[in-house]
């Protein structure tokens, strides 16, 4: 009973919060839907049936797409509770070999979030479609391009939503002040847009507690206005709920009615947020909030506007503000811009999120991801994307200066995302959830046909602002694919030019070099073998650290990897070599840890692996590259290490049951390190963290020696070795490949964040190894 009450209380809280963080863009649409719908030839149909017909199309569009497709179906088509285009693509990659980066390992399938409980691919006949895509690389490339194009459109939505929401909200001033010039409205909208994006930088999450009250007030306000207009102007408007008025509308308006669909589709803009933000709120709270509050309030508002327009069609250019009762006009004019800002915030956050996910799957240049906390779960901030969105949103507002033009662009962007979601879901129905092909076809035809009809209408508005999303998406698509192509070529080069471990081990425990105290973390994308960057480093400087760890940070096609499944650790060669391999597996929505936490986790994981190996969980001593083991999966072996903090580089603490190992650095080096730490205060905790051995858990002398060697190396210092790759196409490559690698990829590499920033590596511990890649 207590659990049930707690669950109900939590769901009620999620329902409350979803109003401000999910449904903003959908709730702000009544500001401009009727205006955009009647912007063309439909304006010549000054009849009640035409207005009722437009409302009937709006009602059935929201019911079919927003309610049935998204609220009832798409919220169930999730990846471990996560939604969005990348989630659908990850599901497809997990259930078939669709990923173009060949870094998949069998151990990845053992992650607890990899497969759904009770769903297995064993004893299932192979789908012909699955086999076709797996056999043809071109089909995999087309699927990836489809996902990247959809992601590009999501970014366009992040640009256009603030522009149209803010501009339409302040446009009501023209209704109140008849002589107000349009340039003043544009100026006010630009000021609000700049404030919105500056707040992203300053921490808008601190104001998240007021988002939901503003949106609830807005939704109830527009619903009340709708009820008033229904009673005041035309109570018969309820008859337009019948689909018969849709038939009458298209029969009488013909081509003009079909073209008006490009404006009507704006009533479902923002619907995709229900699916994209699923991970923050879960399916049930979103369904309840939409079905019980948002959906009826929107229908009442659109019905009320239709009732008003049926008697005042000449006011269609300002139908929303003209339909508001005089006593409520100024309150609405005040709340509307606030609601527009709140509606824009989740869309901007979704743009940050999809860019981070694209970066995780190696399809977007490196960016700096700042993880904010407190009010909004999973909230991140990307400075480069934020300022780019601001500049482009201002450009759209200043360039178009018209809600109709911005609405044409906005509708095409949202519709493209919706269509691609439908196609990917149809593939998922067949390949992931193993439903019949006819069921997948029925889903695709039922919803896809409606969306294609809307798309055909929107294409008629290409010259009136509709060109913006396709053009900008093409630019983003080129950037994403070029980066993915260059990253894949670099990986394949490393794969083909890696050094055999047997060759390295023939050099003996010293590897033919000078081994100095410390730990060297060598970053590589390879799961086996030695990367060429390591041998290139030793060729020029034949000395390296006592403990060598080859670290491979990879993204697994799951949203989150539990901590207990994150680290795969194995030993390379005999124990005397002091070489390990550590695979760090992250999901596409995982937060990458800061350098200090990551360093501590790696050391603790290796320590637990040493204990597991001593208990017989490893492979025979003679093997070259041993089988890797998942560490931290259980408390069977515990940990023989503990952490403590000292007040200075040379101080340490001790106890009767433990041993603190002091640093082997000279006083000169320790003083120099202390100077660096004063220049970088964030490293204070990191450098003061000291490891000690739990004597009670170190009964095996050999294990204790290995752990003590590891702790001494950690106290001596940790260095991060990463490769600085310079790609160049082969001399006999095609012109397109040379442009992609030598020009486009080189430009992106030089102007994006360095790998050290993306991996949160402090500069004082960083070693870069430059290499030329001829691909």
């Amino acid at each position: 009973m207590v659990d049930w009450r707690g669950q109900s209380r939590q769901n009620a809280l999620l329902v409350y919060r979803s109003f401000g963080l999910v449904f903003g863009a959908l709730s702000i649409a009544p500001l401009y839907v009727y205006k955009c719908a009647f912007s063309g030839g439909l304006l010549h149909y000054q009849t009640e049936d035409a207005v009722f017909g437009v409302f009937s199309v709006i009602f059935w569009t929201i019911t079919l797409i927003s309610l049935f497709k998204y609220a009832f179906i798409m919220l169930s088509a999730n990846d471990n509770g996560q939604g969005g285009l990348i989630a659908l693509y990850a599901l497809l990659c997990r259930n078939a070999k669709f990923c173009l980066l060949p870094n998949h390992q069998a151990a990845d399938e053992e992650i607890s979030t990899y497969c759904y409980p009770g769903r297995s691919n064993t004893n299932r006949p192979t789908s012909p479609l699955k086999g076709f895509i797996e056999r043809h690389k071109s089909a995999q490339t087309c699927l990836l391009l489809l996902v990247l194009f959809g992601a590009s459109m999501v970014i366009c939505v992040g640009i256009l939503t603030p522009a149209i929401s803010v501009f339409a909200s302040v446009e009501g001033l023209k209704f109140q002040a008849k002589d107000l010039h349009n340039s003043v409205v544009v100026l006010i909208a630009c000021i609000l847009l700049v404030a919105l994006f500056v707040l992203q930088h300053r921490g808008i999450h601190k104001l998240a507690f007021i988002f939901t009250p503003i949106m609830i007030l807005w939704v109830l306000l527009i619903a009340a206005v709708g009820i008033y207009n229904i009673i005041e102007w035309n109570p018969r408007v309820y008859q337009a709920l019948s689909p018969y008025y849709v038939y009458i509308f298209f029969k009488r308006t013909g081509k003009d009615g079909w073209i008006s669909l490009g404006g009507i589709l704006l009533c479902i803009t923002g619907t995709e947020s229900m699916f994209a933000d699923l991970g923050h709120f879960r399916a049930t709270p979103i369904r309840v909030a939409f079905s019980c509050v948002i959906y009826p309030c929107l229908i009442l508002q659109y019905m009320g506007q239709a009732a008003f327009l049926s008697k005042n069609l000449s006011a269609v250019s300002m139908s929303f503000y003209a339909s508001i009762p005089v006593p409520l006009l100024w309150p609405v004019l005040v709340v509307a811009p606030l609601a527009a800002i709140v509606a824009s915030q989740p869309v901007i956050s979704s743009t940050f999120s999809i860019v981070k996910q694209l970066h995780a799957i190696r399809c977007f240049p490196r960016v700096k991801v700042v993880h904010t906390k407190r009010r909004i779960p999973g909230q991140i901030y990307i400075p480069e994307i934020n300022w780019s969105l601001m500049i482009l949103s201002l450009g759209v507002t200043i360039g178009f200066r018209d809600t109709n033009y911005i609405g044409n662009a906005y509708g095409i962007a949202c519709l493209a995302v919706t269509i691609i979601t439908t196609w990917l879901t149809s593939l998922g129905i067949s390949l992931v959830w193993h439903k019949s092909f006819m069921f997948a076809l029925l889903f695709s035809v039922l919803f896809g046909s409606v969306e294609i009809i809307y798309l055909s209408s929107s294409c008629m508005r290409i010259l009136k602002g509709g060109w913006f999303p396709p053009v900008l998406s093409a630019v983003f698509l080129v950037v994403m694919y070029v980066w993915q192509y260059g990253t894949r070529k670099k990986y394949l080069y490393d794969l083909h030019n890696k050094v055999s471990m047997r060759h390295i081990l023939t050099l003996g425990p010293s590897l033919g070099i000078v081994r100095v105290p410390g730990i060297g973390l060598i970053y590589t994308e390879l799961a086996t073998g030695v990367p060429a960057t390591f041998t290139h480093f030793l060729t020029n400087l034949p000395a390296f650290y006592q403990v060598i760890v080859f670290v491979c940070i990879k993204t697994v096609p799951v949203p989150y990897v539990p901590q207990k499944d994150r680290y795969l650790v194995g030993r390379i060669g005999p124990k005397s070599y002091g070489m390990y391999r550590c695979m760090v597996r992250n999901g596409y929505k995982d937060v990458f840890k800061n350098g200090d936490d990551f360093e501590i986790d790696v050391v603790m994981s290796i320590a637990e692996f040493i204990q597991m190996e001593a208990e017989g969980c490893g492979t025979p001593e003679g093997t070259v590259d041993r089988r890797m083991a998942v560490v931290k999966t259980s408390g069977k072996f515990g940990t023989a290490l503990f952490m403590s903090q000292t007040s200075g580089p040379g101080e340490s603490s001790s106890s009767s049951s433990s041993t603190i190992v002091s640093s082997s650095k000279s006083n000169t080096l320790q003083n120099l390190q202390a100077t660096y730490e004063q220049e970088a205060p964030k490293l204070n905790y990191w450098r003061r963290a000291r490891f000690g051995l739990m004597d009670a858990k170190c009964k095996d002398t050999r294990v204790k020696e290995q752990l003590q060697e590891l702790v001494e190396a950690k106290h001596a210092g940790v260095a991060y070795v990463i490769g600085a790759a310079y790609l160049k196409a082969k001399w006999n490559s095609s012109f397109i490949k040379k442009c992609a690698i030598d020009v486009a990829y080189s430009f992106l590499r030089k102007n994006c964040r360095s790998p050290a920033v993306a991996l949160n590596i402090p500069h004082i511990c960083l070693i870069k190894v430059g290499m030329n890649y001829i691909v």
Side-chain angles (χ1 to χ4, degrees), residues 138-189:
S138 58
Q140 300 172 23
T141 302
C142 289
L143 180 62
L144 176 64
L145 289 174
L146 179 67
V147 174
L148 295 183
F149 183 73
S152 302
M153 283 294 184
V154 172
I155 298 175
C156 288
V157 172
I159 295 167
L160 294 166
T161 300
I164 191 171
S165 299
V166 173
F167 187 79
S169 66
V170 300
E171 205 173 23
L173 295 174
K174 293 169 62 177
F175 176 78
Q176 185 67 9
K178 305 296 183 182
D179 298 332
L180 188 65
H181 197 272
N182 192 54
S183 299
V184 178
V185 176
V186 173
L187 178 61
I188 297 174

Side-chain angles (χ1 to χ4, degrees), residues 561-574:
V561 176
Q563 184 67 21
K564 63 186 180 67
D565 297 329
R566 189 174 303 279
Y567 292 92
L568 270 174
V569 180
R571 186 186 294 277
I572 299 175

Side-chain angles (χ1 to χ4, degrees), residues 60-269:
W60 287 106
T61 301
I62 295 177
T63 301
L64 184 63
I65 302 298
S66 300
L67 186 64
F68 290 159
K69 177 187 173 182
Y70 277 94
F72 291 162
I73 299 177
M74 291 305 303
L75 293 184
S76 299
N78 60 76
D79 180 11
N80 290 286
Q82 302 296 321
L85 292 175
I86 304 301
L88 292 174
Y89 181 64
L91 279 171
L92 293 173
C93 290
R94 291 214 303 273
N95 288 270
K97 298 176 182 179
F98 291 170
C99 186
L100 292 176
L101 194 63
N103 62 351
H104 175 76
Q105 292 178 288
D108 296 340
E109 300 181 9
E110 299 175 3
I111 297 175
S112 57
T113 54
Y114 198 92
C115 296
Y116 283 102
R119 292 179 181 173
S120 174
N121 294 332
T122 58
N123 300 326
R124 290 185 182 274
T126 302
S127 167
L129 178 61
K130 175 182 176 181
F132 175 81
I133 298 178
E134 289 181 342
R135 288 192 306 269
H136 296 82
K137 186 177 178 181
S138 58
Q140 300 172 23
T141 302
C142 289
L143 180 62
L144 176 64
L145 289 174
L146 179 67
V147 174
L148 295 183
F149 183 73
S152 302
M153 283 294 184
V154 172
I155 298 175
C156 288
V157 172
I159 295 167
L160 294 166
T161 300
I164 191 171
S165 299
V166 173
F167 187 79
S169 66
V170 300
E171 205 173 23
L173 295 174
K174 293 169 62 177
F175 176 78
Q176 185 67 9
K178 305 296 183 182
D179 298 332
L180 188 65
H181 197 272
N182 192 54
S183 299
V184 178
V185 176
V186 173
L187 178 61
I188 297 174
C190 290
I191 293 173
L192 291 177
L193 286 173
V194 171
L196 171 64
F197 287 101
V198 169
L199 281 175
Q200 304 293 325
H201 175 67
R202 294 296 180 182
I204 198 171
H205 61 279
K206 298 176 183 178
L207 303 176
F209 68 95
I210 65 172
F211 288 177
T212 298
I214 290 175
M215 288 312 304
I216 291 177
L217 176 61
W218 171 257
V219 169
L220 296 179
L221 196 58
I222 62 175
V225 171
I227 294 173
Y228 168 82
N229 286 325
I230 293 171
I231 298 173
E232 176 69 18
W233 294 103
N234 196 340
R236 292 192 306 107
V237 71
Y238 75 90
Q239 297 175 0
L241 296 174
S242 170
Y244 173 75
Y245 276 86
V246 176
Y247 168 75
I248 294 297
F249 172 72
F250 286 112
K251 180 179 179 180
R252 295 182 179 178
T253 59
K255 182 180 178 180
D256 291 327
W258 168 64
I259 294 177
S260 71
L261 292 177
I264 293 175
L265 71 87
L266 294 176
C267 68
I268 58 171
T269 53

Side-chain angles (χ1 to χ4, degrees), residues 3 18 40 60 72 84 114-115 122 145 147 213 231 310 370 388 420 426 476 502 506 557 627 666 739 764 766 769 773:
D3 291 341
S18 68
W60 287 106
F72 291 162
Y114 198 92
C115 296
T122 58
L145 289 174
V147 174
I231 298 173
S310 65
V370 180
S388 299
I420 293 173
S426 299
F476 285 128
R502 293 187 181 275
T506 56
R627 178 178 62 86
S666 65
C739 289
I764 65 172
L766 177 63
V769 181
Y773 286 68

Side-chain angles (χ1 to χ4, degrees), residues 155 355 358-359 362-367 385 476 479-480 483:
I155 298 175
V355 168
L358 289 168
H359 172 254
R362 308 295 192 269
C363 291
F364 202 88
R366 291 181 294 268
V367 291
I385 301 302
F476 285 128
V479 169
M480 294 177 189
W483 185 262

Side-chain angles (χ1 to χ4, degrees), residues 7 10-16 18-19 23 75 278 281-291:
Q7 186 72 20
Q10 185 179 14
N11 285 334
L13 178 61
L14 291 175
V15 168
Y16 170 77
S18 68
F19 290 121
F23 303 108
L75 293 184
L278 178 60
F281 299 97
R282 300 204 298 263
T284 301
I286 293 179
R287 283 196 185 105
V288 171
F290 180 77
S291 304

